[in-house]
Amino acid sequence: MSGQDQAAGLRKWADLQRQQRDAEEGADTTLSDEEIPAAEPVSAEEASAHAQEVMSPTVAAATESATVAPPKPKRPLVVVGLPYKGAAQVDKVRGRLGQWSALGRQWAGDPQDWDIHIAMPDSDSLADLAERYTRWALWVNSDADAFATMYRALRQLREHGGPQHLLALHEPHLPRQGLLNNLRDAAAHYLDIELLLLAR
């Protein structure tokens, strides 16, 4: 906006303030035609500049909203085998996915792209979850009691209508021989559950 336009605007504002004050005091504030200041002519360039100045926030906001991509849908993953539900357990799973991602495993992707749900293997709502979600994983510990704990979780999963295909979500350095192979074979032979082992 030019300096002349600002000055004219301020004069008009001051006149209006004076008129309102006089009206409140009961004075005659009627202006004759001679007293009304004439509007100063505005060039086309000034009008265009003023229009751009006024519209610039709207144009910037419209441009910004047009360039923002919609959020990428998250991939749901239901994990069983953890001792309890909670944010700490979800972070644990994300950390494990991050380990696999760091090894260059593209299936793991960005751990933040996963919508992780922790489920208890003996939950009454397991059959409903199995119908709603297709990606399931078994959290595999590597402690001394891991086989018994994981097998019990798989058995409860089977008894409560859980899925028949699960990914074994284990530490990347855990060897297949021993715990992982034994768990996979027992799940297939006794429970008719396919446990998918991750390639190292």
Side-chain angles (χ1 to χ4, degrees), residues 13-173:
W13 178 80
D15 286 341
L16 284 172
Q17 294 298 316
R18 196 176 317 109
Q19 289 172 9
Q20 289 175 351
R21 189 175 56 246
D22 290 346
E24 289 172 4
E25 293 173 0
D28 183 14
T29 58
T30 307
L31 296 175
S32 65
D33 288 341
E34 295 83 28
E35 293 176 318
I36 298 175
E40 297 178 14
V42 177
S43 70
E45 290 176 357
E46 288 176 332
S48 174
H50 178 68
Q52 285 179 351
E53 187 177 310
V54 171
M55 292 297 291
S56 61
T58 306
V59 172
T63 305
E64 186 177 304
S65 64
T67 57
V68 174
K72 186 177 172 183
K74 294 192 172 206
R75 294 178 287 179
L77 176 67
V78 182
V79 181
V80 294
L82 287 162
Y84 58 89
K85 297 179 180 183
Q89 303 294 46
V90 170
D91 289 341
K92 223 173 171 179
V93 173
R94 281 213 171 93
R96 183 63 49 84
L97 291 168
Q99 289 175 322
W100 285 100
S101 183
L103 291 173
R105 303 301 187 259
Q106 291 184 357
W107 64 265
D110 181 352
Q112 297 304 319
D113 290 343
W114 292 92
D115 181 20
I116 298 165
H117 303 269
I118 307 299
M120 296 295 109
D122 57 351
S123 170
D124 291 334
S125 63
L126 217 56
D128 293 335
L129 289 172
E131 286 181 18
R132 199 164 35 161
Y133 298 109
T134 57
R135 291 186 183 99
W136 286 72
L138 173 70
W139 179 267
V140 179
N141 290 319
S142 57
D143 57 21
D145 297 325
F147 180 84
T149 304
M150 299 301 103
Y151 184 78
R152 186 180 321 108
L154 287 170
R155 186 172 41 78
Q156 289 174 332
L157 196 72
R158 181 70 174 152
E159 290 169 357
H160 288 85
Q164 291 186 282
H165 307 282
L166 291 103
L167 170 72
L169 197 56
H170 57 82
E171 298 169 10
H173 67 272

